[in-house]
Amino acid sequence: MSVVWRGIVENAKDTIVARWTGIESFRWLVGNGHSILFWEDVWCGDRPLRVEFPRLFRLALNKNGLVKDFSMSNGFMEVNWADFFSRPQLDREMHMVSWLREAKSSMFLSPEVEDKLLWIHDRKCVFSVKKLTELLLSDGGWI
């Protein structure tokens, strides 16, 4: 690990640094779904699905599955969501599954396109030490 990365990692617990490098600072752009954790990563909305749907996450058979593991024919339209849970859903859980189904039904995976991690604090969505340094300096002179 380079000296710069070691410094970023060591200081990531600092609230000012975490503001710019924490999980909330990154989003996944879905390509083939081979790199994105379905429940844990931020790829649909502003929070991980395990946070958005904690009850469904508790019932999930595959808590560490990739996005591709939850799709059929490179999409989510034909997915039988009941197959992914440990028991049949109660009425309120069925509403959550319905919302999940609706939110994912228009999404398609592109087998030839790699998933891409985006950093939301840069207009090009690319993480750079230079930009992080600028943000830290503007956030109270941390450096």
Side-chain angles (χ1 to χ4, degrees):
M1 188 182 308
S2 74
V3 175
V4 174
W5 274 113
R6 187 175 298 122
I8 291 170
V9 170
E10 287 174 1
N11 290 295
K13 292 180 182 175
D14 181 281
T15 55
I16 295 171
V17 178
R19 178 176 175 193
W20 307 111
T21 61
I23 192 167
E24 302 83 20
S25 296
F26 295 92
R27 304 282 183 273
W28 280 98
L29 179 62
V30 179
N32 59 20
H34 287 248
S35 303
I36 306 168
L37 294 172
F38 184 84
W39 292 104
E40 298 291 335
D41 289 330
V42 180
W43 62 281
C44 180
D46 295 331
R47 303 184 307 173
L49 291 176
R50 74 170 164 72
V51 174
E52 195 74 32
F53 300 102
R55 191 176 188 107
L56 295 181
F57 178 68
R58 282 192 300 275
L59 296 173
L61 292 170
N62 186 355
K63 291 179 174 35
N64 297 311
L66 301 170
V67 168
K68 72 171 182 70
D69 299 333
F70 288 81
S71 69
M72 289 189 68
S73 304
N74 294 319
F76 298 93
M77 188 78 86
E78 301 171 21
V79 172
N80 181 3
W81 291 99
D83 293 343
F84 296 114
F85 301 107
S86 59
R87 63 164 172 75
Q89 287 77 56
L90 303 173
D91 283 344
R92 63 182 154 189
E93 295 162 348
M94 287 174 48
H95 291 293
M96 292 175 208
V97 170
S98 176
W99 188 90
L100 181 63
R101 178 185 301 117
E102 185 177 315
K104 306 299 169 270
S105 66
S106 64
M107 295 185 76
F108 291 95
L109 304 182
S110 300
E112 66 284 347
V113 178
E114 293 291 320
D115 300 321
K116 185 175 181 181
L117 190 58
L118 308 174
W119 190 44
I120 66 169
H121 302 297
D122 180 66
R123 63 182 206 300
K124 293 181 182 176
C125 296
V126 176
F127 178 85
S128 73
V129 173
K130 179 180 178 182
K131 181 66 176 182
L132 176 60
T133 303
E134 290 171 11
L135 292 169
L136 290 171
L137 288 171
S138 71
D139 199 17
W142 179 81
I143 295 179

